Structures are given as C-alpha cells and as structure tokens.
Amino acid sequence: MSKEITTRAADYSQWYNDLVIKGGLADYSAVRGCMVIKPYGFALWENMRDQLDKMFKETGHVNAYFPLFVPKSLFEAEEKNAEGFAKECAVVTHYRLKNDPDNKGKLMVDPEAKLEEELVVRPTSEAIIWSTYKDWIQSYRDLPLLINQWANVVRWEMRTRLFLRTTEFLWQEGHTAHATQQEAVEETIKMLNVYADFVEEYMALPVIKGVKTASERFAGAEDTYCIEALMQDGKALQAGTSHFLGQNFAKAFDVQFLNKENKQEYVWATSWGVSTRLIGALIMAHSDDQGLILPPRIAPVQVVIVPIYKGEDSKAPIHEKVNAIMKELKEAGIRVLYDDSDASRPGWKFAEHELKGVPIRLAIGLRDMENNVVELARRDTKEKKTISMDGLTHYIVQLLAEIQQNIYNKALAFRTENTREANSWEEFLRMLDETPGFISAHWDGTEETEEKIKEASKATIRCIPLDNVVAEGVCIFSGKPSKQRVLFARAY
RNA sequence: CGGGAUGUAGCGUAGCCCGGUUAUCGCGCCUGGUUUGGGACCAGGAGGUCGCAAGUUCGAAUCUUGCCAUCCCGACCA
C-alpha cells in the first residue's frame, strides 16, 4: 500500500523520514529547511511542553516572552556568544517591499527602507533578555530571577533534517539570575535533573547526564551540562543542555545588584533549553519497522477503539458499548479515540494506528459483546489478547504504565548493550564501525587530542558523565596519562 | 556551502534519450451498492499551469539556461 515504510536495515535515514511524514507528525514546507508540524506532531509536542512547563513551575519558574528580533549591537555585546552564533544568523536589513517597476506584479526590497541598525533573528535570547534584566535587577531582593520562555528560534544550518535540525525550531529557554555562584551552579544542575527526569519518565528514554568539554561548550558559558541519549543506529543525540554562564552576560550587559552589605556585584546566570528535537530522539529511540512507538505518557492518543461491524444492525449496539467504555476511560484521564469512520475497514485502521504509534488498540465486535470481552493489542510488543470488559479501565490504566516501563527498559537495555569500553585506538575505531554506540575511553584532557580524534574517527566526546569514577589510565589516542574515561560517540 | 540524485493528480509511477492529436497506470479521493475479526469488492466519476521562470522551435513533459524544493554523502551545528 501507499503507506509502506522503509525498513531500518534498508535505509535508516529514509526510515526516519518515512515515520515523520507517514506517521503524520510533520511535513516539508515551501521554505528551505523549515517544516510544518502537523496536528498529530504538535499534539505530541504539546504533551511534552505541558509536562515540562509544569515541572518548571514546580521549581519556581515563571513564563515570559521576549522579542524575536535582537538589535545587532545588543547581540554582539557578549563576544563569545555572538561569535559562536554569528555564522548562522538570519538578519533583517529592511522593513518594506515595493512594486518592482521593471517587473510587473512582482515585489522588490525597497532600498529606501534600509534599517538604521540590522536586527538579528534570535538564534537564542541571552542578549535581548540580559539587556532587559539590567533594568529589572537592582538589589539582592530582586534575585533570584527565574524566567522561562517558550519560543521559536532560527539557526541557519547548512543541512537540515526533520525535527533534528531545522532552520526554525520551537523550544523553551530558561534564563535565570542569581546572587551567588553557588546558587547559579545549583540551578544549572537542578534543571539538568528536571530534563533528565522528564526525558526518562515521560519519554521513556534513558539519558546520560554529563558535562561538555570546552570545545563542545555553549558559546558564552562557563560550563555546559547535557543529557545524551543513544539512538537505534548507535549514534548519540544531545537531548538537552543546561549552562552555567558565570558572570559573562552580567558583565556584558552590566547587570549588577546591591548585596546585603550595600556593595555592587555582578549577578550569576544560567540558561537551559530543550527543543522539538526531542521528538526526533523519541522517534529514533523507540520506533520499529511498522511505525512509531510512542510512550503512553506523552502519546496524543493512548487508546484507540476500532469497532468491528457485522452489518448495519450491529453498529448501534457497538457504538453504545464503546461510548460507555470511552466515558469510563476518559474519567480515568485516558486519552482515547474512537475510530468509527466508515471510510476504511478494520485492517486498514489497525495498520494506520500502529504506524502512528498508539500504545493500545481495542477492537470490539458483536461476538466480543456477547462474551463480555474485548480484543486488546499493545503496540510495543505487538501482543494481542482477549480480555474481559469487567475492570477494563483499571486494566488499561495499569497496562499503560507497564508499556511505559517496557519501552524504557528496552531503550535502557539497548543502551547498556551498546556502551563499551575501548582501551586502544584500534579497538576504538573497530567499535565505531562494527558496533556503534557509546564508547567509554581514556582521554588526556587536551583540546588538541579531542580534535584529532574527531578528525580521525568522526566521533566526538559527548560528555564527561557526572557519575564518572576517577580512574587512572592512558589516553587511547596520545598515550598520555588520563584521569578518567569520557564518553565518545558519533552524534546527530 | 561543495559532490551526487530527484521533482509528471494527495501518494507511487510510465512517457523524456530520438519534440508532434485528448499525458500512462496503480493506490487514494467522490457517488451508489455490497461489505467490515489484519491494509475489501463492483459500477460510475472528479482531479494535471508535467516543480517555477525564461529561451530555442510552427509546436516543449521531452532540448537549453536560471531559479526553487527534497533526499543521500561531506564540511558546520541543538
């Protein structure tokens, strides 16, 4: 049929694209590098967003919204940050179009409408936010300032991929200001933990918490913490970052506060973000050759009910029964969809909802009603069984939790199997090609070696895990002494 | 941004090399009917600026040039 998807073994990239497009999550758009997020994909994002938003608020944060445009002079104030993003910035230079006198019916940029100062379309909002914080912060009593914003940003990437890297993407960015270094560092770690908890508990995706090396650090940060996840093709994906910004932005934007001793001090800052990229991680971590597999806790539809008719007469009683089941499921807080469309037959619906990753499917026909049972199929294991209608809601509530856990366990087992220790350069290279995944290996701690390893192997240091044990060894590349193993992988 | 490939109805495609009536087929879509426990069947029907724009030509889906978009591989990156 037209909805067949490429298998992972045949072409992993194409498999991923097929799931995104045919699973109804997103579509290509008329704009290079930008995608349309379709209702089903956006519902998924909304579920993720709502949960994260709740967790941010539980940790004392509030939402605000800052402008899309950043005056160039503000943008360049924090030098390292500006430099880091400079080559991927979209820039607004004019504010008006006019009719093209040489080309009827066409428009042209009006050369008379050139902006005095160019506006950078935000690749991130530190600059505009810190220029604002300057006015908001005077005393230690104004601190901490704990603000998050849900926004779109633009980064002009060379090569784009649906959800994983698009020119425009949706994200949240938290920007906090603190009176002490310690408090800011604690905030950085706290939000890293919020991300890890969210990704593990809601997206059923195990992550490694770690700190980035200097070369992988966010431009303008003192330290960048991250959560790293492993995809089914053995490539790593950075799922979220939390930055300790020190006083870099406070100094660049002159944000000082009066402390209890009546002395001026620069504030300490953090920023942290996750994006729609998480959806890409979700797809690549869990799904199979039949389609998406979505964890129940964030799936737009948790249970789909497909009626099995036997002639017109059976429709009414089935509808009646299904409505009763739906009412109960909804009361239990379950997102349920009744697919009673006459346009397609049951078999087609089964395949369609499997492609879309709906965790549980119920099929109900007259035969089932006579026996007071329902056919239940779970997406994660493809297991199908007949269960009693009595206590159905309770059963489903428990099963959803079990599916959530099972998906997590599977991903965790995969990551465990595909995390290896390499003790020599040859072994390291062989692993990357033959059994791709995380590779734990000794590194001498220098940027030069890191760069050489990257050049020679295409693998990067994903992070120095936070729970790393200190263990002496020798660097796999340079042979120099090393204090600990770090986590390498080829990455998205 | 470099290399490679692609673009014909919502999707998948034939035709293009070698220009010539009304652009092929399947799926999907619409109408009616029969159906419905793993991607139904019959009958009828609608749907196309052949990616866009110039050019060559009596005539362009087909030849030329430019542009746009997508995919794959690099460099860059969340």
PDB file of all heavy atoms in Angstrom, chain A residues 414-445:
ATOM      1  N   PHE A 414      19.104  -1.538  25.384  1.00  0.00           N
ATOM      2  CA  PHE A 414      19.820  -1.253  24.139  1.00  0.00           C
ATOM      3  C   PHE A 414      21.056  -0.399  24.433  1.00  0.00           C
ATOM      4  O   PHE A 414      22.137  -0.654  23.917  1.00  0.00           O
ATOM      5  CB  PHE A 414      18.907  -0.517  23.150  1.00  0.00           C
ATOM      6  CG  PHE A 414      19.603  -0.147  21.873  1.00  0.00           C
ATOM      7  CD1 PHE A 414      19.717  -1.064  20.841  1.00  0.00           C
ATOM      8  CD2 PHE A 414      20.168   1.117  21.710  1.00  0.00           C
ATOM      9  CE1 PHE A 414      20.377  -0.738  19.670  1.00  0.00           C
ATOM     10  CE2 PHE A 414      20.832   1.451  20.545  1.00  0.00           C
ATOM     11  CZ  PHE A 414      20.940   0.532  19.523  1.00  0.00           C
ATOM     12  N   ARG A 415      20.865   0.605  25.276  1.00  0.00           N
ATOM     13  CA  ARG A 415      21.998   1.484  25.570  1.00  0.00           C
ATOM     14  C   ARG A 415      23.084   0.745  26.339  1.00  0.00           C
ATOM     15  O   ARG A 415      24.270   0.926  26.080  1.00  0.00           O
ATOM     16  CB  ARG A 415      21.529   2.697  26.384  1.00  0.00           C
ATOM     17  CG  ARG A 415      22.620   3.756  26.479  1.00  0.00           C
ATOM     18  CD  ARG A 415      22.273   4.828  27.462  1.00  0.00           C
ATOM     19  NE  ARG A 415      22.350   4.350  28.828  1.00  0.00           N
ATOM     20  CZ  ARG A 415      21.965   5.067  29.873  1.00  0.00           C
ATOM     21  NH1 ARG A 415      21.441   6.262  29.692  1.00  0.00           N
ATOM     22  NH2 ARG A 415      22.069   4.583  31.087  1.00  0.00           N
ATOM     23  N   THR A 416      22.665  -0.097  27.276  1.00  0.00           N
ATOM     24  CA  THR A 416      23.645  -0.856  28.049  1.00  0.00           C
ATOM     25  C   THR A 416      24.455  -1.768  27.134  1.00  0.00           C
ATOM     26  O   THR A 416      25.674  -1.827  27.220  1.00  0.00           O
ATOM     27  CB  THR A 416      22.929  -1.691  29.131  1.00  0.00           C
ATOM     28  OG1 THR A 416      22.109  -0.802  29.887  1.00  0.00           O
ATOM     29  CG2 THR A 416      23.922  -2.379  30.039  1.00  0.00           C
ATOM     30  N   GLU A 417      23.730  -2.446  26.229  1.00  0.00           N
ATOM     31  CA  GLU A 417      24.408  -3.337  25.272  1.00  0.00           C
ATOM     32  C   GLU A 417      25.364  -2.582  24.373  1.00  0.00           C
ATOM     33  O   GLU A 417      26.340  -3.152  23.883  1.00  0.00           O
ATOM     34  CB  GLU A 417      23.371  -4.004  24.352  1.00  0.00           C
ATOM     35  CG  GLU A 417      22.744  -5.259  24.900  1.00  0.00           C
ATOM     36  CD  GLU A 417      21.524  -5.644  24.067  1.00  0.00           C
ATOM     37  OE1 GLU A 417      21.588  -5.481  22.832  1.00  0.00           O
ATOM     38  OE2 GLU A 417      20.513  -6.071  24.663  1.00  0.00           O
ATOM     39  N   ASN A 418      25.039  -1.343  24.117  1.00  0.00           N
ATOM     40  CA  ASN A 418      25.819  -0.589  23.144  1.00  0.00           C
ATOM     41  C   ASN A 418      26.680   0.497  23.769  1.00  0.00           C
ATOM     42  O   ASN A 418      26.977   1.502  23.139  1.00  0.00           O
ATOM     43  CB  ASN A 418      24.900  -0.023  22.064  1.00  0.00           C
ATOM     44  CG  ASN A 418      24.344  -1.132  21.201  1.00  0.00           C
ATOM     45  OD1 ASN A 418      25.055  -1.717  20.385  1.00  0.00           O
ATOM     46  ND2 ASN A 418      23.077  -1.465  21.418  1.00  0.00           N
ATOM     47  N   THR A 419      27.042   0.278  25.011  1.00  0.00           N
ATOM     48  CA  THR A 419      28.017   1.136  25.663  1.00  0.00           C
ATOM     49  C   THR A 419      29.209   0.251  26.002  1.00  0.00           C
ATOM     50  O   THR A 419      29.062  -0.741  26.700  1.00  0.00           O
ATOM     51  CB  THR A 419      27.441   1.766  26.943  1.00  0.00           C
ATOM     52  OG1 THR A 419      26.263   2.497  26.599  1.00  0.00           O
ATOM     53  CG2 THR A 419      28.445   2.699  27.590  1.00  0.00           C
ATOM     54  N   ARG A 420      30.341   0.586  25.422  1.00  0.00           N
ATOM     55  CA  ARG A 420      31.510  -0.292  25.568  1.00  0.00           C
ATOM     56  C   ARG A 420      32.732   0.500  25.997  1.00  0.00           C
ATOM     57  O   ARG A 420      32.808   1.699  25.773  1.00  0.00           O
ATOM     58  CB  ARG A 420      31.807  -0.979  24.232  1.00  0.00           C
ATOM     59  CG  ARG A 420      30.657  -1.830  23.730  1.00  0.00           C
ATOM     60  CD  ARG A 420      30.966  -2.462  22.392  1.00  0.00           C
ATOM     61  NE  ARG A 420      29.863  -3.312  21.977  1.00  0.00           N
ATOM     62  CZ  ARG A 420      28.749  -2.856  21.399  1.00  0.00           C
ATOM     63  NH1 ARG A 420      28.602  -1.570  21.134  1.00  0.00           N
ATOM     64  NH2 ARG A 420      27.774  -3.687  21.073  1.00  0.00           N
ATOM     65  N   GLU A 421      33.664  -0.227  26.557  1.00  0.00           N
ATOM     66  CA  GLU A 421      34.937   0.397  26.914  1.00  0.00           C
ATOM     67  C   GLU A 421      35.968   0.057  25.854  1.00  0.00           C
ATOM     68  O   GLU A 421      36.113  -1.109  25.476  1.00  0.00           O
ATOM     69  CB  GLU A 421      35.419  -0.123  28.273  1.00  0.00           C
ATOM     70  CG  GLU A 421      34.656   0.467  29.442  1.00  0.00           C
ATOM     71  CD  GLU A 421      35.341   0.213  30.777  1.00  0.00           C
ATOM     72  OE1 GLU A 421      36.387  -0.472  30.806  1.00  0.00           O
ATOM     73  OE2 GLU A 421      34.824   0.703  31.804  1.00  0.00           O
ATOM     74  N   ALA A 422      36.652   1.066  25.387  1.00  0.00           N
ATOM     75  CA  ALA A 422      37.749   0.822  24.451  1.00  0.00           C
ATOM     76  C   ALA A 422      39.053   1.157  25.147  1.00  0.00           C
ATOM     77  O   ALA A 422      39.149   2.155  25.852  1.00  0.00           O
ATOM     78  CB  ALA A 422      37.586   1.682  23.206  1.00  0.00           C
ATOM     79  N   ASN A 423      40.054   0.312  24.938  1.00  0.00           N
ATOM     80  CA  ASN A 423      41.324   0.522  25.619  1.00  0.00           C
ATOM     81  C   ASN A 423      42.483   0.747  24.667  1.00  0.00           C
ATOM     82  O   ASN A 423      43.625   0.869  25.092  1.00  0.00           O
ATOM     83  CB  ASN A 423      41.619  -0.661  26.548  1.00  0.00           C
ATOM     84  CG  ASN A 423      40.620  -0.715  27.688  1.00  0.00           C
ATOM     85  OD1 ASN A 423      40.437   0.263  28.405  1.00  0.00           O
ATOM     86  ND2 ASN A 423      39.925  -1.833  27.819  1.00  0.00           N
ATOM     87  N   SER A 424      42.180   0.761  23.385  1.00  0.00           N
ATOM     88  CA  SER A 424      43.224   1.107  22.427  1.00  0.00           C
ATOM     89  C   SER A 424      42.571   1.813  21.248  1.00  0.00           C
ATOM     90  O   SER A 424      41.358   1.737  21.047  1.00  0.00           O
ATOM     91  CB  SER A 424      43.928  -0.161  21.924  1.00  0.00           C
ATOM     92  OG  SER A 424      43.066  -0.881  21.061  1.00  0.00           O
ATOM     93  N   TRP A 425      43.392   2.501  20.500  1.00  0.00           N
ATOM     94  CA  TRP A 425      42.900   3.258  19.352  1.00  0.00           C
ATOM     95  C   TRP A 425      42.268   2.318  18.318  1.00  0.00           C
ATOM     96  O   TRP A 425      41.217   2.620  17.747  1.00  0.00           O
ATOM     97  CB  TRP A 425      44.048   4.061  18.744  1.00  0.00           C
ATOM     98  CG  TRP A 425      43.666   4.878  17.562  1.00  0.00           C
ATOM     99  CD1 TRP A 425      44.164   4.774  16.303  1.00  0.00           C
ATOM    100  CD2 TRP A 425      42.694   5.931  17.515  1.00  0.00           C
ATOM    101  NE1 TRP A 425      43.568   5.691  15.474  1.00  0.00           N
ATOM    102  CE2 TRP A 425      42.659   6.419  16.200  1.00  0.00           C
ATOM    103  CE3 TRP A 425      41.837   6.511  18.469  1.00  0.00           C
ATOM    104  CZ2 TRP A 425      41.812   7.451  15.798  1.00  0.00           C
ATOM    105  CZ3 TRP A 425      40.987   7.533  18.070  1.00  0.00           C
ATOM    106  CH2 TRP A 425      40.989   8.000  16.750  1.00  0.00           C
ATOM    107  N   GLU A 426      42.906   1.171  18.101  1.00  0.00           N
ATOM    108  CA  GLU A 426      42.397   0.208  17.121  1.00  0.00           C
ATOM    109  C   GLU A 426      41.025  -0.300  17.552  1.00  0.00           C
ATOM    110  O   GLU A 426      40.092  -0.393  16.751  1.00  0.00           O
ATOM    111  CB  GLU A 426      43.365  -0.988  16.974  1.00  0.00           C
ATOM    112  CG  GLU A 426      44.704  -0.653  16.341  1.00  0.00           C
ATOM    113  CD  GLU A 426      45.579   0.251  17.221  1.00  0.00           C
ATOM    114  OE1 GLU A 426      45.521   0.110  18.480  1.00  0.00           O
ATOM    115  OE2 GLU A 426      46.292   1.105  16.676  1.00  0.00           O
ATOM    116  N   GLU A 427      40.925  -0.619  18.831  1.00  0.00           N
ATOM    117  CA  GLU A 427      39.673  -1.123  19.368  1.00  0.00           C
ATOM    118  C   GLU A 427      38.570  -0.056  19.231  1.00  0.00           C
ATOM    119  O   GLU A 427      37.443  -0.343  18.865  1.00  0.00           O
ATOM    120  CB  GLU A 427      39.880  -1.492  20.845  1.00  0.00           C
ATOM    121  CG  GLU A 427      38.780  -2.329  21.431  1.00  0.00           C
ATOM    122  CD  GLU A 427      39.043  -2.678  22.912  1.00  0.00           C
ATOM    123  OE1 GLU A 427      39.921  -2.067  23.543  1.00  0.00           O
ATOM    124  OE2 GLU A 427      38.347  -3.563  23.402  1.00  0.00           O
ATOM    125  N   PHE A 428      38.960   1.166  19.515  1.00  0.00           N
ATOM    126  CA  PHE A 428      38.048   2.306  19.431  1.00  0.00           C
ATOM    127  C   PHE A 428      37.472   2.430  18.011  1.00  0.00           C
ATOM    128  O   PHE A 428      36.255   2.502  17.812  1.00  0.00           O
ATOM    129  CB  PHE A 428      38.825   3.575  19.811  1.00  0.00           C
ATOM    130  CG  PHE A 428      38.021   4.842  19.822  1.00  0.00           C
ATOM    131  CD1 PHE A 428      37.192   5.153  20.894  1.00  0.00           C
ATOM    132  CD2 PHE A 428      38.107   5.743  18.761  1.00  0.00           C
ATOM    133  CE1 PHE A 428      36.466   6.347  20.917  1.00  0.00           C
ATOM    134  CE2 PHE A 428      37.378   6.936  18.773  1.00  0.00           C
ATOM    135  CZ  PHE A 428      36.567   7.234  19.849  1.00  0.00           C
ATOM    136  N   LEU A 429      38.343   2.412  17.026  1.00  0.00           N
ATOM    137  CA  LEU A 429      37.912   2.539  15.633  1.00  0.00           C
ATOM    138  C   LEU A 429      37.049   1.361  15.204  1.00  0.00           C
ATOM    139  O   LEU A 429      36.051   1.529  14.493  1.00  0.00           O
ATOM    140  CB  LEU A 429      39.124   2.645  14.704  1.00  0.00           C
ATOM    141  CG  LEU A 429      39.910   3.951  14.778  1.00  0.00           C
ATOM    142  CD1 LEU A 429      41.119   3.888  13.849  1.00  0.00           C
ATOM    143  CD2 LEU A 429      39.043   5.149  14.437  1.00  0.00           C
ATOM    144  N   ARG A 430      37.440   0.180  15.642  1.00  0.00           N
ATOM    145  CA  ARG A 430      36.698  -1.021  15.259  1.00  0.00           C
ATOM    146  C   ARG A 430      35.281  -0.962  15.834  1.00  0.00           C
ATOM    147  O   ARG A 430      34.301  -1.245  15.158  1.00  0.00           O
ATOM    148  CB  ARG A 430      37.425  -2.275  15.745  1.00  0.00           C
ATOM    149  CG  ARG A 430      36.896  -3.550  15.086  1.00  0.00           C
ATOM    150  CD  ARG A 430      37.695  -4.773  15.485  1.00  0.00           C
ATOM    151  NE  ARG A 430      37.613  -5.026  16.920  1.00  0.00           N
ATOM    152  CZ  ARG A 430      38.671  -5.119  17.715  1.00  0.00           C
ATOM    153  NH1 ARG A 430      39.887  -5.015  17.224  1.00  0.00           N
ATOM    154  NH2 ARG A 430      38.521  -5.330  19.012  1.00  0.00           N
ATOM    155  N   MET A 431      35.190  -0.543  17.092  1.00  0.00           N
ATOM    156  CA  MET A 431      33.864  -0.436  17.727  1.00  0.00           C
ATOM    157  C   MET A 431      32.984   0.549  16.989  1.00  0.00           C
ATOM    158  O   MET A 431      31.809   0.301  16.761  1.00  0.00           O
ATOM    159  CB  MET A 431      34.021   0.007  19.179  1.00  0.00           C
ATOM    160  CG  MET A 431      34.438  -1.117  20.109  1.00  0.00           C
ATOM    161  SD  MET A 431      34.607  -0.473  21.789  1.00  0.00           S
ATOM    162  CE  MET A 431      35.150  -1.951  22.627  1.00  0.00           C
ATOM    163  N   LEU A 432      33.548   1.685  16.632  1.00  0.00           N
ATOM    164  CA  LEU A 432      32.755   2.712  15.954  1.00  0.00           C
ATOM    165  C   LEU A 432      32.147   2.165  14.663  1.00  0.00           C
ATOM    166  O   LEU A 432      31.005   2.475  14.318  1.00  0.00           O
ATOM    167  CB  LEU A 432      33.627   3.927  15.630  1.00  0.00           C
ATOM    168  CG  LEU A 432      33.875   4.902  16.771  1.00  0.00           C
ATOM    169  CD1 LEU A 432      34.858   5.970  16.335  1.00  0.00           C
ATOM    170  CD2 LEU A 432      32.577   5.543  17.246  1.00  0.00           C
ATOM    171  N   ASP A 433      32.898   1.358  13.955  1.00  0.00           N
ATOM    172  CA  ASP A 433      32.404   0.840  12.678  1.00  0.00           C
ATOM    173  C   ASP A 433      31.552  -0.406  12.823  1.00  0.00           C
ATOM    174  O   ASP A 433      30.561  -0.569  12.128  1.00  0.00           O
ATOM    175  CB  ASP A 433      33.585   0.540  11.743  1.00  0.00           C
ATOM    176  CG  ASP A 433      34.167   1.834  11.193  1.00  0.00           C
ATOM    177  OD1 ASP A 433      33.424   2.833  11.161  1.00  0.00           O
ATOM    178  OD2 ASP A 433      35.355   1.849  10.824  1.00  0.00           O
ATOM    179  N   GLU A 434      31.951  -1.273  13.736  1.00  0.00           N
ATOM    180  CA  GLU A 434      31.275  -2.573  13.807  1.00  0.00           C
ATOM    181  C   GLU A 434      30.130  -2.604  14.804  1.00  0.00           C
ATOM    182  O   GLU A 434      29.124  -3.279  14.578  1.00  0.00           O
ATOM    183  CB  GLU A 434      32.303  -3.672  14.140  1.00  0.00           C
ATOM    184  CG  GLU A 434      33.279  -3.898  12.996  1.00  0.00           C
ATOM    185  CD  GLU A 434      34.395  -4.876  13.371  1.00  0.00           C
ATOM    186  OE1 GLU A 434      34.296  -5.521  14.439  1.00  0.00           O
ATOM    187  OE2 GLU A 434      35.361  -4.965  12.587  1.00  0.00           O
ATOM    188  N   THR A 435      30.286  -1.918  15.924  1.00  0.00           N
ATOM    189  CA  THR A 435      29.238  -1.930  16.947  1.00  0.00           C
ATOM    190  C   THR A 435      29.023  -0.516  17.472  1.00  0.00           C
ATOM    191  O   THR A 435      29.345  -0.209  18.619  1.00  0.00           O
ATOM    192  CB  THR A 435      29.643  -2.852  18.124  1.00  0.00           C
ATOM    193  OG1 THR A 435      30.923  -2.433  18.612  1.00  0.00           O
ATOM    194  CG2 THR A 435      29.694  -4.300  17.724  1.00  0.00           C
ATOM    195  N   PRO A 436      28.482   0.360  16.628  1.00  0.00           N
ATOM    196  CA  PRO A 436      28.361   1.761  17.027  1.00  0.00           C
ATOM    197  C   PRO A 436      27.536   1.936  18.297  1.00  0.00           C
ATOM    198  O   PRO A 436      26.595   1.196  18.548  1.00  0.00           O
ATOM    199  CB  PRO A 436      27.680   2.420  15.831  1.00  0.00           C
ATOM    200  CG  PRO A 436      27.124   1.327  15.009  1.00  0.00           C
ATOM    201  CD  PRO A 436      27.946   0.112  15.301  1.00  0.00           C
ATOM    202  N   GLY A 437      27.920   2.911  19.093  1.00  0.00           N
ATOM    203  CA  GLY A 437      27.241   3.195  20.353  1.00  0.00           C
ATOM    204  C   GLY A 437      28.118   4.122  21.163  1.00  0.00           C
ATOM    205  O   GLY A 437      29.014   4.774  20.612  1.00  0.00           O
ATOM    206  N   PHE A 438      27.842   4.179  22.462  1.00  0.00           N
ATOM    207  CA  PHE A 438      28.712   4.965  23.330  1.00  0.00           C
ATOM    208  C   PHE A 438      29.998   4.189  23.573  1.00  0.00           C
ATOM    209  O   PHE A 438      29.969   2.978  23.799  1.00  0.00           O
ATOM    210  CB  PHE A 438      28.042   5.198  24.684  1.00  0.00           C
ATOM    211  CG  PHE A 438      26.980   6.277  24.674  1.00  0.00           C
ATOM    212  CD1 PHE A 438      25.712   6.022  25.179  1.00  0.00           C
ATOM    213  CD2 PHE A 438      27.260   7.547  24.170  1.00  0.00           C
ATOM    214  CE1 PHE A 438      24.740   7.018  25.186  1.00  0.00           C
ATOM    215  CE2 PHE A 438      26.296   8.544  24.176  1.00  0.00           C
ATOM    216  CZ  PHE A 438      25.036   8.279  24.681  1.00  0.00           C
ATOM    217  N   ILE A 439      31.096   4.899  23.532  1.00  0.00           N
ATOM    218  CA  ILE A 439      32.366   4.260  23.855  1.00  0.00           C
ATOM    219  C   ILE A 439      33.028   5.047  24.977  1.00  0.00           C
ATOM    220  O   ILE A 439      33.269   6.241  24.862  1.00  0.00           O
ATOM    221  CB  ILE A 439      33.307   4.206  22.633  1.00  0.00           C
ATOM    222  CG1 ILE A 439      32.635   3.433  21.496  1.00  0.00           C
ATOM    223  CG2 ILE A 439      34.633   3.549  23.028  1.00  0.00           C
ATOM    224  CD1 ILE A 439      33.465   3.352  20.243  1.00  0.00           C
ATOM    225  N   SER A 440      33.295   4.323  26.051  1.00  0.00           N
ATOM    226  CA  SER A 440      33.933   4.920  27.204  1.00  0.00           C
ATOM    227  C   SER A 440      35.432   4.692  27.066  1.00  0.00           C
ATOM    228  O   SER A 440      35.877   3.554  26.961  1.00  0.00           O
ATOM    229  CB  SER A 440      33.379   4.247  28.467  1.00  0.00           C
ATOM    230  OG  SER A 440      33.985   4.806  29.597  1.00  0.00           O
ATOM    231  N   ALA A 441      36.185   5.788  27.034  1.00  0.00           N
ATOM    232  CA  ALA A 441      37.617   5.630  26.803  1.00  0.00           C
ATOM    233  C   ALA A 441      38.408   6.743  27.478  1.00  0.00           C
ATOM    234  O   ALA A 441      37.888   7.830  27.713  1.00  0.00           O
ATOM    235  CB  ALA A 441      37.900   5.630  25.303  1.00  0.00           C
ATOM    236  N   HIS A 442      39.646   6.453  27.742  1.00  0.00           N
ATOM    237  CA  HIS A 442      40.525   7.440  28.372  1.00  0.00           C
ATOM    238  C   HIS A 442      40.946   8.503  27.363  1.00  0.00           C
ATOM    239  O   HIS A 442      41.175   8.224  26.197  1.00  0.00           O
ATOM    240  CB  HIS A 442      41.768   6.761  28.965  1.00  0.00           C
ATOM    241  CG  HIS A 442      41.498   6.140  30.299  1.00  0.00           C
ATOM    242  ND1 HIS A 442      41.363   6.879  31.438  1.00  0.00           N
ATOM    243  CD2 HIS A 442      41.327   4.838  30.659  1.00  0.00           C
ATOM    244  CE1 HIS A 442      41.127   6.068  32.470  1.00  0.00           C
ATOM    245  NE2 HIS A 442      41.086   4.822  32.020  1.00  0.00           N
ATOM    246  N   TRP A 443      41.005   9.728  27.880  1.00  0.00           N
ATOM    247  CA  TRP A 443      41.375  10.890  27.053  1.00  0.00           C
ATOM    248  C   TRP A 443      42.281  11.761  27.893  1.00  0.00           C
ATOM    249  O   TRP A 443      42.058  11.925  29.094  1.00  0.00           O
ATOM    250  CB  TRP A 443      40.077  11.616  26.663  1.00  0.00           C
ATOM    251  CG  TRP A 443      40.241  13.008  26.158  1.00  0.00           C
ATOM    252  CD1 TRP A 443      40.954  13.410  25.062  1.00  0.00           C
ATOM    253  CD2 TRP A 443      39.653  14.197  26.712  1.00  0.00           C
ATOM    254  NE1 TRP A 443      40.832  14.766  24.893  1.00  0.00           N
ATOM    255  CE2 TRP A 443      40.047  15.282  25.896  1.00  0.00           C
ATOM    256  CE3 TRP A 443      38.829  14.462  27.808  1.00  0.00           C
ATOM    257  CZ2 TRP A 443      39.644  16.595  26.146  1.00  0.00           C
ATOM    258  CZ3 TRP A 443      38.435  15.767  28.060  1.00  0.00           C
ATOM    259  CH2 TRP A 443      38.832  16.818  27.232  1.00  0.00           C
ATOM    260  N   ASP A 444      43.306  12.303  27.249  1.00  0.00           N
ATOM    261  CA  ASP A 444      44.314  13.034  28.021  1.00  0.00           C
ATOM    262  C   ASP A 444      43.864  14.423  28.491  1.00  0.00           C
ATOM    263  O   ASP A 444      44.617  15.130  29.160  1.00  0.00           O
ATOM    264  CB  ASP A 444      45.638  13.120  27.230  1.00  0.00           C
ATOM    265  CG  ASP A 444      45.496  13.922  25.944  1.00  0.00           C
ATOM    266  OD1 ASP A 444      44.558  14.742  25.839  1.00  0.00           O
ATOM    267  OD2 ASP A 444      46.336  13.725  25.044  1.00  0.00           O
ATOM    268  N   GLY A 445      42.661  14.814  28.098  1.00  0.00           N
ATOM    269  CA  GLY A 445      42.123  16.072  28.607  1.00  0.00           C
ATOM    270  C   GLY A 445      42.465  17.300  27.772  1.00  0.00           C
ATOM    271  O   GLY A 445      42.050  18.410  28.103  1.00  0.00           O
TER     272      GLY A 445
END
